[in-house]
Amino acid sequence: MTVAAPPGAPAAPHWATRERLALASLLAVAAAALAYHAGSIGWGNAYYAAVAQSGATGWKAFFFATPDISAVTATDKPPLAFWPMALSVRLFGLHGWAIALPQMLEYLACVAVLHATVRRVAGAAGGLVAATALAVTPVAFALARFNDPDTLLTLAVTVGAYAAVRAAEANRPRWLVLLGAALGTAFLTKWLAGAVPAPALVLAALVGRRPPDVAWRRGWTSRAVVRGLALVTGVAAVTGLWWLAVAVAVRSRPFPDSSTGGFVDVILNQNGVDRFSYTTATAASATVKGRPGPLRLLADPFAGQVGWLVPMAALVLLVLLVSPTGRRRTPHAATIAFGGWFALTGLVFSLMGGAMHPYYTVLMAPATAALVGLGVPLGCRQARRAVRWLPTAAVVASGGYASAVLSTQPTLTTWRVPVLTTTIAAGLLLLTRERRRRVAGVTLAVAALVLGPAAFALATSSHPLTGANPMAGPSSGTGARPAYAASFVAYLENGSGSRPWVAAVITSTPASVLQLQSRRSVLPLGGFTGHSGFPDVAAVRTWVERDELRYLVLSGPYAHLSAPPSLRHTATQAVVDWARAHSCAVRAPGTGYTVLDLSMAPPCPVTR
């Protein structure tokens, strides 16, 4: 009788070779899927694409992550995720695929790190299943072809989970240092978003070992836990706050978007408390953000993005917590790290009432995939007769849920047949007592779990993702790259001459599109939403007097309305009122926008 090696033990040479080959094949297939139609990716989020463009042009714009090349305004996000994008554009030129390339590499790295982490706990099979589950999660795949900061955020937290598991295995400070650095990196990627799973990772690293272990009793006393917590906190503070300290010390720093000018407002309010507020305006956008509640992640629009494996992951977590076999065979660190990560992010995303976009859920994708991987050794073991039906029931329920999600997409309904067929075959094999058949059942169960999300994810590669709310899955017909008419861009370029700015444009996204097309700096007014306090009237008047700015394009909320109610009493409205009183409207070719020529003072020539 042969005894299986523990999950963390080195595998036999032939099995290690097969495992490496399987992982390499998974990464190669994922990379090929990402590269498919890479030339048609487009700008993605034009606002962030302009940040990459600006960073590739000047080092001040690079350091502060500014959407305008002149580095007058900055985004409301920290700069770390934009630095690889800017370097890629500087190296390969301004292309959509160059902007998305860092996210593709981050996605592949996240899959590899998750495999290495789960493998130490659940063996080679568990690690490969977890890596596969993450690779086919639609929201993770979609963001790998997009230019949002969330992919780097997810990678940083996954590295933190690896460090937490290693810290629980061995009482060595280097793993706590890595954990602190990962959490600091997450903060410098998307502010407080990385703090959501942080308590679970820190707890797993500090108290994740089993109390009966003699080494745990000797090395992990309460004093050692306090020292470890202080080390993690200190490293996270240095890693995450150094850029903030430099930015605060620089007097000529760009103005943070949609803020009062201070980083406290950006971090704690706009990207903190305001994300949880539930207002009438939020309720009106329920078709995009769903409705807060316990089943939010299992309904549209979240079901197709991340909901596929959530029920299975929740069941595995429940078994790990209540089953004696699960508690005895799975290290506490893995249960705390991935179970806590999954529970905390799931709770936050289910209850958020503010700006909750479906792509935010990419943060819980590695934890969901890891729990599914941790369930593989549980399903492979001979369970007691009384609970032999449990794996079959779980697989059949997950397959039925995947079929229901596929039925909501007319172009993917044909995938229901292979999903249901594989699910039924896996369920029947899992009911048998013969070991080989049960192993075959587990293999088919994994195939049934990943077929649905894989089909949904691959449907994303056939069309570009654009805008501020990227969604995986088949095209909704709104993926065209936004653009100005070439004649209009040429008109602004010729009229602006050698001035620093081609034009000033209301709100950042239309300004970013014009900057991407003209390859010259465009001044955004009002930030992303139009509510930013800078540039104000005094600044715009000064630039006009210095002959540095000639045109003001009334785009965004001013394209059809002269005075949007939501922007009354804002700096943007004040600038527009001043410009209308001290300049002349001119006819511009190729657009219906009103253009104010700030170099012309009333009385204005009569035009038809």
Side-chain angles (χ1 to χ4, degrees), residues 30 34 41 97 99-108 135 137-148 150-151 362 465:
L34 291 175
I41 287 178
W97 63 264
I99 297 173
L101 179 61
Q103 286 69 250
M104 296 181 185
L105 299 178
E106 291 157 9
Y107 160 83
L108 296 175
T137 299
V139 66
F141 181 83
L143 287 187
R145 292 168 58 91
F146 202 68
N147 55 337
D148 267 356
D150 296 73
T151 303
V362 69
L465 296 175

PDB file of all heavy atoms in Angstrom, residues 30 34 41 97 99-108 135 137-148 150-151 362 465:
ATOM      1  N   ALA A  30      -3.986  30.544 -22.142  1.00  0.00           N
ATOM      2  CA  ALA A  30      -4.510  31.830 -21.678  1.00  0.00           C
ATOM      3  C   ALA A  30      -3.855  32.991 -22.409  1.00  0.00           C
ATOM      4  O   ALA A  30      -4.522  33.955 -22.795  1.00  0.00           O
ATOM      5  CB  ALA A  30      -4.293  31.965 -20.164  1.00  0.00           C
ATOM      6  N   LEU A  34      -5.636  35.776 -24.835  1.00  0.00           N
ATOM      7  CA  LEU A  34      -5.478  37.211 -24.628  1.00  0.00           C
ATOM      8  C   LEU A  34      -4.969  37.902 -25.886  1.00  0.00           C
ATOM      9  O   LEU A  34      -5.368  39.035 -26.194  1.00  0.00           O
ATOM     10  CB  LEU A  34      -4.512  37.472 -23.471  1.00  0.00           C
ATOM     11  CG  LEU A  34      -4.982  37.092 -22.067  1.00  0.00           C
ATOM     12  CD1 LEU A  34      -3.853  37.314 -21.066  1.00  0.00           C
ATOM     13  CD2 LEU A  34      -6.203  37.897 -21.659  1.00  0.00           C
ATOM     14  N   ILE A  41      -8.150  45.933 -29.615  1.00  0.00           N
ATOM     15  CA  ILE A  41      -8.568  46.163 -28.234  1.00  0.00           C
ATOM     16  C   ILE A  41      -9.100  47.579 -28.048  1.00  0.00           C
ATOM     17  O   ILE A  41     -10.056  47.816 -27.321  1.00  0.00           O
ATOM     18  CB  ILE A  41      -7.396  45.885 -27.268  1.00  0.00           C
ATOM     19  CG1 ILE A  41      -7.160  44.372 -27.166  1.00  0.00           C
ATOM     20  CG2 ILE A  41      -7.668  46.467 -25.889  1.00  0.00           C
ATOM     21  CD1 ILE A  41      -6.011  43.986 -26.275  1.00  0.00           C
ATOM     22  N   TRP A  97      -3.069  47.717 -27.663  1.00  0.00           N
ATOM     23  CA  TRP A  97      -2.491  46.496 -27.111  1.00  0.00           C
ATOM     24  C   TRP A  97      -1.300  46.793 -26.213  1.00  0.00           C
ATOM     25  O   TRP A  97      -1.048  46.054 -25.258  1.00  0.00           O
ATOM     26  CB  TRP A  97      -2.079  45.546 -28.241  1.00  0.00           C
ATOM     27  CG  TRP A  97      -1.003  46.081 -29.146  1.00  0.00           C
ATOM     28  CD1 TRP A  97      -1.175  46.712 -30.334  1.00  0.00           C
ATOM     29  CD2 TRP A  97       0.423  46.023 -28.934  1.00  0.00           C
ATOM     30  NE1 TRP A  97       0.038  47.063 -30.885  1.00  0.00           N
ATOM     31  CE2 TRP A  97       1.037  46.644 -30.053  1.00  0.00           C
ATOM     32  CE3 TRP A  97       1.226  45.499 -27.923  1.00  0.00           C
ATOM     33  CZ2 TRP A  97       2.413  46.761 -30.167  1.00  0.00           C
ATOM     34  CZ3 TRP A  97       2.607  45.608 -28.033  1.00  0.00           C
ATOM     35  CH2 TRP A  97       3.182  46.233 -29.148  1.00  0.00           C
ATOM     36  N   ILE A  99      -1.071  49.423 -24.236  1.00  0.00           N
ATOM     37  CA  ILE A  99      -1.639  49.855 -22.955  1.00  0.00           C
ATOM     38  C   ILE A  99      -2.133  48.657 -22.156  1.00  0.00           C
ATOM     39  O   ILE A  99      -2.018  48.613 -20.927  1.00  0.00           O
ATOM     40  CB  ILE A  99      -2.775  50.859 -23.206  1.00  0.00           C
ATOM     41  CG1 ILE A  99      -2.236  52.119 -23.883  1.00  0.00           C
ATOM     42  CG2 ILE A  99      -3.477  51.237 -21.903  1.00  0.00           C
ATOM     43  CD1 ILE A  99      -3.311  53.099 -24.313  1.00  0.00           C
ATOM     44  N   ALA A 100      -2.689  47.647 -22.846  1.00  0.00           N
ATOM     45  CA  ALA A 100      -3.241  46.475 -22.162  1.00  0.00           C
ATOM     46  C   ALA A 100      -2.190  45.421 -21.835  1.00  0.00           C
ATOM     47  O   ALA A 100      -2.454  44.530 -21.013  1.00  0.00           O
ATOM     48  CB  ALA A 100      -4.341  45.841 -23.008  1.00  0.00           C
ATOM     49  N   LEU A 101      -1.011  45.483 -22.441  1.00  0.00           N
ATOM     50  CA  LEU A 101       0.003  44.443 -22.255  1.00  0.00           C
ATOM     51  C   LEU A 101       0.368  44.221 -20.783  1.00  0.00           C
ATOM     52  O   LEU A 101       0.449  43.067 -20.341  1.00  0.00           O
ATOM     53  CB  LEU A 101       1.248  44.777 -23.072  1.00  0.00           C
ATOM     54  CG  LEU A 101       2.408  43.795 -22.970  1.00  0.00           C
ATOM     55  CD1 LEU A 101       1.992  42.411 -23.450  1.00  0.00           C
ATOM     56  CD2 LEU A 101       3.616  44.289 -23.762  1.00  0.00           C
ATOM     57  N   PRO A 102       0.607  45.256 -19.974  1.00  0.00           N
ATOM     58  CA  PRO A 102       0.930  44.997 -18.563  1.00  0.00           C
ATOM     59  C   PRO A 102      -0.171  44.235 -17.831  1.00  0.00           C
ATOM     60  O   PRO A 102       0.111  43.374 -16.993  1.00  0.00           O
ATOM     61  CB  PRO A 102       1.121  46.402 -17.976  1.00  0.00           C
ATOM     62  CG  PRO A 102       1.504  47.244 -19.145  1.00  0.00           C
ATOM     63  CD  PRO A 102       0.731  46.687 -20.302  1.00  0.00           C
ATOM     64  N   GLN A 103      -1.445  44.527 -18.151  1.00  0.00           N
ATOM     65  CA  GLN A 103      -2.534  43.813 -17.487  1.00  0.00           C
ATOM     66  C   GLN A 103      -2.550  42.340 -17.890  1.00  0.00           C
ATOM     67  O   GLN A 103      -2.872  41.467 -17.081  1.00  0.00           O
ATOM     68  CB  GLN A 103      -3.879  44.462 -17.816  1.00  0.00           C
ATOM     69  CG  GLN A 103      -4.121  45.773 -17.113  1.00  0.00           C
ATOM     70  CD  GLN A 103      -3.223  46.870 -17.615  1.00  0.00           C
ATOM     71  OE1 GLN A 103      -2.323  47.331 -16.922  1.00  0.00           O
ATOM     72  NE2 GLN A 103      -3.442  47.306 -18.848  1.00  0.00           N
ATOM     73  N   MET A 104      -2.206  42.051 -19.137  1.00  0.00           N
ATOM     74  CA  MET A 104      -2.134  40.657 -19.569  1.00  0.00           C
ATOM     75  C   MET A 104      -1.071  39.894 -18.773  1.00  0.00           C
ATOM     76  O   MET A 104      -1.307  38.772 -18.296  1.00  0.00           O
ATOM     77  CB  MET A 104      -1.810  40.587 -21.060  1.00  0.00           C
ATOM     78  CG  MET A 104      -2.871  41.192 -21.966  1.00  0.00           C
ATOM     79  SD  MET A 104      -2.408  41.045 -23.716  1.00  0.00           S
ATOM     80  CE  MET A 104      -3.726  41.968 -24.504  1.00  0.00           C
ATOM     81  N   LEU A 105       0.085  40.511 -18.613  1.00  0.00           N
ATOM     82  CA  LEU A 105       1.170  39.864 -17.866  1.00  0.00           C
ATOM     83  C   LEU A 105       0.808  39.726 -16.388  1.00  0.00           C
ATOM     84  O   LEU A 105       1.136  38.707 -15.746  1.00  0.00           O
ATOM     85  CB  LEU A 105       2.463  40.661 -18.032  1.00  0.00           C
ATOM     86  CG  LEU A 105       2.989  40.786 -19.470  1.00  0.00           C
ATOM     87  CD1 LEU A 105       4.246  41.650 -19.507  1.00  0.00           C
ATOM     88  CD2 LEU A 105       3.271  39.413 -20.053  1.00  0.00           C
ATOM     89  N   GLU A 106       0.136  40.716 -15.830  1.00  0.00           N
ATOM     90  CA  GLU A 106      -0.292  40.642 -14.431  1.00  0.00           C
ATOM     91  C   GLU A 106      -1.301  39.528 -14.217  1.00  0.00           C
ATOM     92  O   GLU A 106      -1.277  38.828 -13.203  1.00  0.00           O
ATOM     93  CB  GLU A 106      -0.877  41.992 -13.999  1.00  0.00           C
ATOM     94  CG  GLU A 106       0.159  43.100 -13.902  1.00  0.00           C
ATOM     95  CD  GLU A 106      -0.447  44.487 -14.028  1.00  0.00           C
ATOM     96  OE1 GLU A 106      -1.692  44.595 -14.030  1.00  0.00           O
ATOM     97  OE2 GLU A 106       0.320  45.469 -14.154  1.00  0.00           O
ATOM     98  N   TYR A 107      -2.196  39.357 -15.173  1.00  0.00           N
ATOM     99  CA  TYR A 107      -3.195  38.279 -15.099  1.00  0.00           C
ATOM    100  C   TYR A 107      -2.511  36.908 -15.116  1.00  0.00           C
ATOM    101  O   TYR A 107      -2.825  36.024 -14.305  1.00  0.00           O
ATOM    102  CB  TYR A 107      -4.167  38.445 -16.260  1.00  0.00           C
ATOM    103  CG  TYR A 107      -4.971  37.236 -16.656  1.00  0.00           C
ATOM    104  CD1 TYR A 107      -6.137  36.893 -15.981  1.00  0.00           C
ATOM    105  CD2 TYR A 107      -4.589  36.456 -17.758  1.00  0.00           C
ATOM    106  CE1 TYR A 107      -6.897  35.799 -16.379  1.00  0.00           C
ATOM    107  CE2 TYR A 107      -5.336  35.372 -18.160  1.00  0.00           C
ATOM    108  CZ  TYR A 107      -6.486  35.044 -17.470  1.00  0.00           C
ATOM    109  OH  TYR A 107      -7.229  33.964 -17.867  1.00  0.00           O
ATOM    110  N   LEU A 108      -1.574  36.712 -16.032  1.00  0.00           N
ATOM    111  CA  LEU A 108      -0.857  35.437 -16.096  1.00  0.00           C
ATOM    112  C   LEU A 108      -0.045  35.197 -14.826  1.00  0.00           C
ATOM    113  O   LEU A 108       0.015  34.065 -14.318  1.00  0.00           O
ATOM    114  CB  LEU A 108       0.050  35.417 -17.329  1.00  0.00           C
ATOM    115  CG  LEU A 108      -0.654  35.487 -18.688  1.00  0.00           C
ATOM    116  CD1 LEU A 108       0.373  35.595 -19.810  1.00  0.00           C
ATOM    117  CD2 LEU A 108      -1.549  34.279 -18.899  1.00  0.00           C
ATOM    118  N   ALA A 135      -8.172  31.343 -14.287  1.00  0.00           N
ATOM    119  CA  ALA A 135      -7.901  31.706 -15.681  1.00  0.00           C
ATOM    120  C   ALA A 135      -9.185  31.865 -16.482  1.00  0.00           C
ATOM    121  O   ALA A 135      -9.251  32.701 -17.391  1.00  0.00           O
ATOM    122  CB  ALA A 135      -6.995  30.652 -16.327  1.00  0.00           C
ATOM    123  N   THR A 137     -12.220  32.649 -15.170  1.00  0.00           N
ATOM    124  CA  THR A 137     -13.189  33.564 -14.575  1.00  0.00           C
ATOM    125  C   THR A 137     -13.371  34.754 -15.521  1.00  0.00           C
ATOM    126  O   THR A 137     -12.419  35.478 -15.807  1.00  0.00           O
ATOM    127  CB  THR A 137     -12.713  34.052 -13.204  1.00  0.00           C
ATOM    128  OG1 THR A 137     -12.562  32.925 -12.330  1.00  0.00           O
ATOM    129  CG2 THR A 137     -13.723  35.008 -12.600  1.00  0.00           C
ATOM    130  N   PRO A 138     -14.575  34.981 -16.029  1.00  0.00           N
ATOM    131  CA  PRO A 138     -14.755  35.991 -17.091  1.00  0.00           C
ATOM    132  C   PRO A 138     -14.278  37.391 -16.719  1.00  0.00           C
ATOM    133  O   PRO A 138     -13.644  38.070 -17.526  1.00  0.00           O
ATOM    134  CB  PRO A 138     -16.272  35.960 -17.337  1.00  0.00           C
ATOM    135  CG  PRO A 138     -16.676  34.574 -16.989  1.00  0.00           C
ATOM    136  CD  PRO A 138     -15.812  34.204 -15.813  1.00  0.00           C
ATOM    137  N   VAL A 139     -14.558  37.847 -15.492  1.00  0.00           N
ATOM    138  CA  VAL A 139     -14.180  39.217 -15.138  1.00  0.00           C
ATOM    139  C   VAL A 139     -12.664  39.360 -15.091  1.00  0.00           C
ATOM    140  O   VAL A 139     -12.122  40.410 -15.466  1.00  0.00           O
ATOM    141  CB  VAL A 139     -14.829  39.623 -13.802  1.00  0.00           C
ATOM    142  CG1 VAL A 139     -14.273  38.810 -12.641  1.00  0.00           C
ATOM    143  CG2 VAL A 139     -14.650  41.113 -13.542  1.00  0.00           C
ATOM    144  N   ALA A 140     -11.954  38.324 -14.667  1.00  0.00           N
ATOM    145  CA  ALA A 140     -10.493  38.381 -14.638  1.00  0.00           C
ATOM    146  C   ALA A 140      -9.930  38.405 -16.055  1.00  0.00           C
ATOM    147  O   ALA A 140      -8.991  39.160 -16.355  1.00  0.00           O
ATOM    148  CB  ALA A 140      -9.936  37.193 -13.861  1.00  0.00           C
ATOM    149  N   PHE A 141     -10.497  37.586 -16.935  1.00  0.00           N
ATOM    150  CA  PHE A 141     -10.036  37.567 -18.323  1.00  0.00           C
ATOM    151  C   PHE A 141     -10.322  38.892 -19.009  1.00  0.00           C
ATOM    152  O   PHE A 141      -9.497  39.408 -19.773  1.00  0.00           O
ATOM    153  CB  PHE A 141     -10.704  36.411 -19.066  1.00  0.00           C
ATOM    154  CG  PHE A 141     -10.278  36.281 -20.500  1.00  0.00           C
ATOM    155  CD1 PHE A 141      -9.118  35.618 -20.830  1.00  0.00           C
ATOM    156  CD2 PHE A 141     -11.047  36.828 -21.525  1.00  0.00           C
ATOM    157  CE1 PHE A 141      -8.713  35.499 -22.161  1.00  0.00           C
ATOM    158  CE2 PHE A 141     -10.658  36.721 -22.845  1.00  0.00           C
ATOM    159  CZ  PHE A 141      -9.488  36.050 -23.161  1.00  0.00           C
ATOM    160  N   ALA A 142     -11.508  39.457 -18.771  1.00  0.00           N
ATOM    161  CA  ALA A 142     -11.878  40.719 -19.419  1.00  0.00           C
ATOM    162  C   ALA A 142     -10.949  41.852 -18.996  1.00  0.00           C
ATOM    163  O   ALA A 142     -10.484  42.640 -19.826  1.00  0.00           O
ATOM    164  CB  ALA A 142     -13.327  41.064 -19.101  1.00  0.00           C
ATOM    165  N   LEU A 143     -10.664  41.943 -17.701  1.00  0.00           N
ATOM    166  CA  LEU A 143      -9.814  43.031 -17.221  1.00  0.00           C
ATOM    167  C   LEU A 143      -8.369  42.848 -17.655  1.00  0.00           C
ATOM    168  O   LEU A 143      -7.599  43.815 -17.668  1.00  0.00           O
ATOM    169  CB  LEU A 143      -9.898  43.138 -15.702  1.00  0.00           C
ATOM    170  CG  LEU A 143     -11.204  43.712 -15.160  1.00  0.00           C
ATOM    171  CD1 LEU A 143     -11.116  43.929 -13.662  1.00  0.00           C
ATOM    172  CD2 LEU A 143     -11.570  45.018 -15.841  1.00  0.00           C
ATOM    173  N   ALA A 144      -7.970  41.627 -18.006  1.00  0.00           N
ATOM    174  CA  ALA A 144      -6.629  41.413 -18.535  1.00  0.00           C
ATOM    175  C   ALA A 144      -6.468  42.056 -19.909  1.00  0.00           C
ATOM    176  O   ALA A 144      -5.340  42.320 -20.339  1.00  0.00           O
ATOM    177  CB  ALA A 144      -6.329  39.919 -18.624  1.00  0.00           C
ATOM    178  N   ARG A 145      -7.572  42.309 -20.602  1.00  0.00           N
ATOM    179  CA  ARG A 145      -7.537  42.988 -21.906  1.00  0.00           C
ATOM    180  C   ARG A 145      -8.022  44.432 -21.776  1.00  0.00           C
ATOM    181  O   ARG A 145      -8.405  45.040 -22.772  1.00  0.00           O
ATOM    182  CB  ARG A 145      -8.417  42.224 -22.903  1.00  0.00           C
ATOM    183  CG  ARG A 145      -7.863  40.861 -23.280  1.00  0.00           C
ATOM    184  CD  ARG A 145      -8.911  40.036 -24.021  1.00  0.00           C
ATOM    185  NE  ARG A 145      -9.397  40.681 -25.227  1.00  0.00           N
ATOM    186  CZ  ARG A 145      -8.876  40.511 -26.441  1.00  0.00           C
ATOM    187  NH1 ARG A 145      -7.826  39.721 -26.611  1.00  0.00           N
ATOM    188  NH2 ARG A 145      -9.411  41.108 -27.492  1.00  0.00           N
ATOM    189  N   PHE A 146      -7.984  44.964 -20.585  1.00  0.00           N
ATOM    190  CA  PHE A 146      -8.475  46.302 -20.312  1.00  0.00           C
ATOM    191  C   PHE A 146      -7.397  47.045 -19.539  1.00  0.00           C
ATOM    192  O   PHE A 146      -6.371  46.481 -19.167  1.00  0.00           O
ATOM    193  CB  PHE A 146      -9.780  46.217 -19.515  1.00  0.00           C
ATOM    194  CG  PHE A 146     -10.655  47.434 -19.607  1.00  0.00           C
ATOM    195  CD1 PHE A 146     -11.270  47.770 -20.786  1.00  0.00           C
ATOM    196  CD2 PHE A 146     -10.844  48.249 -18.505  1.00  0.00           C
ATOM    197  CE1 PHE A 146     -12.088  48.885 -20.881  1.00  0.00           C
ATOM    198  CE2 PHE A 146     -11.648  49.360 -18.581  1.00  0.00           C
ATOM    199  CZ  PHE A 146     -12.277  49.691 -19.773  1.00  0.00           C
ATOM    200  N   ASN A 147      -7.623  48.323 -19.246  1.00  0.00           N
ATOM    201  CA  ASN A 147      -6.585  49.131 -18.619  1.00  0.00           C
ATOM    202  C   ASN A 147      -7.058  49.763 -17.314  1.00  0.00           C
ATOM    203  O   ASN A 147      -6.801  50.936 -17.063  1.00  0.00           O
ATOM    204  CB  ASN A 147      -6.085  50.213 -19.584  1.00  0.00           C
ATOM    205  CG  ASN A 147      -7.218  51.090 -20.130  1.00  0.00           C
ATOM    206  OD1 ASN A 147      -8.359  50.685 -20.161  1.00  0.00           O
ATOM    207  ND2 ASN A 147      -6.877  52.287 -20.555  1.00  0.00           N
ATOM    208  N   ASP A 148      -7.744  48.994 -16.486  1.00  0.00           N
ATOM    209  CA  ASP A 148      -8.104  49.430 -15.140  1.00  0.00           C
ATOM    210  C   ASP A 148      -7.050  48.949 -14.146  1.00  0.00           C
ATOM    211  O   ASP A 148      -6.353  47.957 -14.397  1.00  0.00           O
ATOM    212  CB  ASP A 148      -9.478  48.881 -14.744  1.00  0.00           C
ATOM    213  CG  ASP A 148     -10.593  49.865 -15.071  1.00  0.00           C
ATOM    214  OD1 ASP A 148     -10.278  50.972 -15.529  1.00  0.00           O
ATOM    215  OD2 ASP A 148     -11.769  49.525 -14.880  1.00  0.00           O
ATOM    216  N   ASP A 150      -7.441  47.310 -11.457  1.00  0.00           N
ATOM    217  CA  ASP A 150      -7.876  46.179 -10.636  1.00  0.00           C
ATOM    218  C   ASP A 150      -7.062  44.909 -10.856  1.00  0.00           C
ATOM    219  O   ASP A 150      -6.958  44.081  -9.948  1.00  0.00           O
ATOM    220  CB  ASP A 150      -9.356  45.906 -10.899  1.00  0.00           C
ATOM    221  CG  ASP A 150     -10.241  47.065 -10.481  1.00  0.00           C
ATOM    222  OD1 ASP A 150     -10.238  48.091 -11.178  1.00  0.00           O
ATOM    223  OD2 ASP A 150     -10.919  46.959  -9.447  1.00  0.00           O
ATOM    224  N   THR A 151      -6.495  44.718 -12.029  1.00  0.00           N
ATOM    225  CA  THR A 151      -5.700  43.518 -12.264  1.00  0.00           C
ATOM    226  C   THR A 151      -4.440  43.516 -11.412  1.00  0.00           C
ATOM    227  O   THR A 151      -4.082  42.502 -10.805  1.00  0.00           O
ATOM    228  CB  THR A 151      -5.343  43.407 -13.755  1.00  0.00           C
ATOM    229  OG1 THR A 151      -6.539  43.407 -14.531  1.00  0.00           O
ATOM    230  CG2 THR A 151      -4.582  42.131 -14.029  1.00  0.00           C
ATOM    231  N   VAL A 362     -13.506  41.284  -9.519  1.00  0.00           N
ATOM    232  CA  VAL A 362     -12.283  40.559  -9.856  1.00  0.00           C
ATOM    233  C   VAL A 362     -11.425  40.349  -8.610  1.00  0.00           C
ATOM    234  O   VAL A 362     -10.635  39.399  -8.539  1.00  0.00           O
ATOM    235  CB  VAL A 362     -11.491  41.312 -10.947  1.00  0.00           C
ATOM    236  CG1 VAL A 362     -10.901  42.604 -10.415  1.00  0.00           C
ATOM    237  CG2 VAL A 362     -10.390  40.439 -11.522  1.00  0.00           C
ATOM    238  N   LEU A 465     -13.393  46.248 -25.448  1.00  0.00           N
ATOM    239  CA  LEU A 465     -14.088  46.775 -24.277  1.00  0.00           C
ATOM    240  C   LEU A 465     -13.761  48.259 -24.155  1.00  0.00           C
ATOM    241  O   LEU A 465     -12.597  48.646 -24.214  1.00  0.00           O
ATOM    242  CB  LEU A 465     -13.658  46.042 -23.006  1.00  0.00           C
ATOM    243  CG  LEU A 465     -13.993  44.552 -22.921  1.00  0.00           C
ATOM    244  CD1 LEU A 465     -13.387  43.942 -21.666  1.00  0.00           C
ATOM    245  CD2 LEU A 465     -15.488  44.329 -22.941  1.00  0.00           C
TER     246      LEU A 465
END
